[in-house]
Amino acid sequence: MVAQQLIKAAQSGDRDALITLLREIETHVYRTAYYILGNEQDAKDAAQEALIRIYTKINSYEEKAQFKTWVQRIVTNICIDKFRRTKATVSIEEHNMVFTSDNSVEDELMSSYVAKDIQEAIDLLPEHHRTVVVLRYLQDFSYNEIADSLDLPLNTVKSYLFRARQQLQALLQDYQKGGVRG
């Protein structure tokens, strides 16, 4: 079934269509929550909360926005609320990065350090900068989709991304000089 047909069926009360729809988006929802919150358990909680909200609010979805934008707004708002409630430092958990098998052990080790440092740098960004970076570079959203998801003007999204890139550049300046952070 095509997504629009699933959505319409779910809105008409077809429970199986709604469950199918939720299964199709659950990985996307979790991935977004994980990259915003940086913690597996918090991400699972936020993703579950988002899926429940989507389940209960499916009838409020209107075709004015794309479905993935509507879903993204829900999960992002839940993550932002969760982040604001905790205000604690987000722990960084190592996650498995997939690399091509052509790399040597040293290359893979260096790549894992680089990936860890990039994730740490993203975690250091202010909440609004981190969110737009996650949506743009990790979820591959367009500027317009980010603006719709976060209910922000397009120029604000562009400004946040510009500032976030500057901050990341400053945080990762050792890599530009050919060094590795310790």
Side-chain angles (χ1 to χ4, degrees), residues 39-50:
N39 170 312
E40 184 179 351
Q41 191 57 48
D42 288 344
K44 285 180 180 178
D45 291 346
Q48 182 177 17
E49 188 176 336

Side-chain angles (χ1 to χ4, degrees), residues 6 10 14-25 55:
L6 276 175
D14 183 340
R15 189 170 181 268
D16 291 336
L18 182 55
I19 290 170
T20 300
L21 189 63
L22 292 173
R23 284 194 177 128
E24 285 183 9
I25 64 172
Y55 181 87

Side-chain angles (χ1 to χ4, degrees), residues 28 66-73 139-141 145 149:
H28 172 75
Q66 290 183 18
F67 184 69
K68 81 174 193 173
T69 304
W70 182 74
V71 167
Q72 194 64 46
R73 180 178 288 173
Q139 295 295 340
D140 202 30
F141 270 48
E145 290 172 330
S149 293

Side-chain angles (χ1 to χ4, degrees), residues 117-132:
D117 286 347
I118 290 171
Q119 182 63 49
E120 287 177 356
I122 290 171
D123 288 345
L124 292 173
L125 294 175
E127 168 190 324
H128 53 285
H129 290 172
R130 179 176 48 249
T131 301
V132 295

Side-chain angles (χ1 to χ4, degrees), residues 40-146:
E40 184 179 351
Q41 191 57 48
D42 288 344
K44 285 180 180 178
D45 291 346
Q48 182 177 17
E49 188 176 336
L51 291 169
I52 290 169
R53 190 165 302 166
I54 292 163
Y55 181 87
T56 59
K57 303 281 187 185
I58 190 70
N59 288 327
S60 69
Y61 168 70
E62 299 172 5
E63 291 184 34
K64 294 178 194 170
Q66 290 183 18
F67 184 69
K68 81 174 193 173
T69 304
W70 182 74
V71 167
Q72 194 64 46
R73 180 178 288 173
I74 290 172
V75 70
T76 302
N77 287 339
I78 288 170
C79 289
I80 289 170
D81 289 346
K82 188 176 242 338
F83 187 76
R84 285 181 182 153
R85 281 193 306 263
T86 58
K87 283 283 189 191
T89 305
V90 179
S91 68
I92 299 165
E93 294 182 14
E94 299 216 19
H95 40 277
N96 297 329
M97 303 296 288
V98 178
F99 299 102
T100 61
S101 59
D102 295 340
N103 290 341
S104 70
V105 173
E106 290 100 12
D107 288 344
E108 288 188 27
L109 184 59
M110 285 305 295
S111 293
S112 69
Y113 283 128
V114 170
K116 182 177 182 281
D117 286 347
I118 290 171
Q119 182 63 49
E120 287 177 356
I122 290 171
D123 288 345
L124 292 173
L125 294 175
E127 168 190 324
H128 53 285
H129 290 172
R130 179 176 48 249
T131 301
V132 295
V133 165
V134 166
L135 294 178
R136 178 72 183 128
Y137 299 109
L138 301 175
Q139 295 295 340
D140 202 30
F141 270 48
S142 70
Y143 291 137
N144 287 327
E145 290 172 330
I146 296 169

